[in-house]
Amino acid sequence: RGTWGWAALWAFLAGLTRPTGIILIPALGWEFGRQRGWWAALGGWLRARWRDADWRGAPARVRALAQPEPWRAGWQRALAGRRRALAAWQDSVDAPWREWAWWRSGAWRRETRLRALAVGWLAVGAVPGAIVVYMAFLELRFRHPLLWLHAQTLFWRRDSMPILGAIGGAIGQLFSMPPWTYWQARELVDLGPVLVFGLLTLVAIRKLPFAFTLYMFALLYLTVSSPVLDSPDPNMLISAGRFLVAAVPMFVLLGRWTKDRPWLEFSLVSGGFLIQAVLAGFFLAYGWLI
C-alpha cells in the first residue's frame, strides 16, 4: 500500500522478536524498488540492450573490420544504438512516474521524493537495526553481543549446511529408519512441511506478488540451512514444521484455492484438525514433541 512508515515499525518489532526477521529484508527491498519503478527501469534498459542490433551483432562488427574503411559506418551504428538504448532506458525510468496514480492525484506535492526514499530505506533497514539493538543489549547485559547466535550452535548444536545437502540428508535419514516407528513419524512432521511448502512456492511464483516469493525462499532457506547434525535424536530438520508457521503467503494461496473448491477446504480443515488431535494426544500422554 506504500505506507512505509508502518512497514518500518512492524519490521523493527519483527527483528526484535526473532533474529529470523531478516527474511523480511529481500521482500521489503524488492517491493520498495518496485513501487519506485527501479525494476521496471532496469528491465527496460536490459530489453533495450537486447534489442540493440549492434550489441547482439558484435561478431559481425569484428568481421566488418576486414572490409575497406568499415570503421566509420560501424562506429556511427554503434553510437546510434547506444542513443536508442539510452532513450529507451530514460523512457522506462520516466514511465512509472507518469503512470502512478499518486502522481496524477497530486499526492507527490505533500511529500518530497527525498523523504519517501528515506522512509523506504528505513523500512528496509529496520530489521538489521533491531538486531543491532538486541546485540547492544546482550553486550551490556552479558558482555557477549553474539550470544543469540552461539546459543544455537552450542546448546541446540545447529551448524550451517548447503540447503540441498540438508534436504537430501533428511530424506536419506527418513528412509534409513525402521518403517512405522516414532522417529520416522517425527521426521515427517518436519520434513513434510518443508517439501510441501517448497513445492507450493514454486507453483505460486506467477500467482502471488514476487515479494511473497522472495519471502518464502528466504524462510525455506533459513529453515533448512542450519540442521542439527550432532544430536542423539535422529532428526536433522528438528522444528522445521514449527518455523514454517510463518509461511503466511502459502496460507493466502491455499485460501484462494479453497474459495471455489469446497472439497479442498474440507480436506485441509478436517485433515488439519485430525493431525492436530493426534499430536495433542501424543503430547498430553507425555510424548516428546517440539
Side-chain angles (χ1 to χ4, degrees), residues 22-27 213-223:
I22 60 176
I23 64 176
L24 292 171
I25 298 175
T213 301
L214 289 176
Y215 174 87
M216 282 303 305
F217 280 145
L219 176 60
L220 288 168
Y221 176 81
L222 212 62
T223 300

Side-chain angles (χ1 to χ4, degrees), residues 10-289:
W10 296 117
F12 184 78
L13 294 178
L16 284 181
T17 303
R18 289 182 67 88
T20 49
I22 60 176
I23 64 176
L24 292 171
I25 298 175
L28 288 172
W30 172 269
E31 184 62 21
F32 181 62
R34 186 192 68 81
Q35 292 187 13
R36 292 289 154 189
W38 294 348
W39 315 134
L42 179 61
W45 181 80
L46 292 176
R47 286 192 297 270
R49 293 291 296 168
W50 181 255
R51 291 194 302 264
D52 185 1
D54 292 308
W55 173 74
R56 289 188 295 170
R61 294 202 307 273
V62 173
R63 291 193 300 270
L65 291 176
Q67 304 299 325
E69 298 185 1
W71 61 271
R72 188 182 303 276
W75 180 252
Q76 291 175 351
R77 287 196 302 271
L79 287 179
R82 276 150 183 78
R83 291 193 190 98
R84 291 195 301 271
L86 181 61
W89 178 80
Q90 186 63 46
D91 183 69
S92 64
V93 170
D94 295 337
W97 292 92
R98 293 195 302 268
E99 295 171 0
W100 284 348
W102 64 268
W103 177 267
R104 294 195 299 268
S105 66
W108 59 275
R109 298 187 182 92
R110 294 192 294 269
E111 69 173 14
T112 64
R113 184 182 180 186
L114 181 61
R115 178 183 175 186
L117 287 173
V119 174
W121 283 116
L122 181 64
V124 175
V127 174
I131 295 177
V132 170
V133 169
Y134 183 59
M135 290 172 61
F137 163 75
L138 293 177
E139 171 64 23
L140 293 175
R141 180 66 177 82
F142 302 104
R143 300 298 177 184
H144 193 345
L146 295 178
L147 182 61
W148 59 274
L149 186 61
H150 292 167
Q152 292 293 326
T153 302
L154 298 177
F155 185 78
W156 292 106
R157 296 179 292 277
R158 291 188 177 273
D159 295 300
S160 298
M161 187 176 183
I163 184 171
L164 294 180
I167 294 177
I171 294 176
Q173 194 176 56
L174 174 68
F175 287 103
S176 66
M177 299 175 184
W180 304 104
T181 59
Y182 162 77
W183 289 112
Q184 190 179 60
R186 182 68 190 82
E187 181 84 15
L188 279 173
V189 170
D190 291 315
L191 179 60
V194 170
L195 297 178
V196 171
F197 280 27
L199 178 62
L200 288 177
T201 301
L202 296 177
V203 171
I205 286 180
R206 299 181 63 87
K207 301 180 183 298
L208 292 176
F210 190 64
F212 286 3
T213 301
L214 289 176
Y215 174 87
M216 282 303 305
F217 280 145
L219 176 60
L220 288 168
Y221 176 81
L222 212 62
T223 300
V224 178
S225 62
S226 299
V228 179
L229 301 179
D230 181 20
S231 174
D233 304 324
N235 186 3
M236 293 177 58
L237 300 183
I238 186 171
S239 296
R242 176 167 59 89
F243 295 157
L244 289 176
V245 171
V248 178
M250 295 299 99
F251 301 127
V252 172
L253 179 68
L254 293 175
R256 287 184 178 179
W257 285 352
T258 58
K259 182 179 179 181
D260 300 321
R261 299 177 179 88
W263 62 271
L264 181 59
E265 179 181 7
F266 177 79
S267 300
L268 290 175
V269 174
S270 60
F273 273 119
L274 179 60
I275 295 175
Q276 187 70 16
V278 172
L279 296 178
F282 177 76
F283 179 75
L284 294 176
Y286 300 99
W288 182 79
L289 197 64

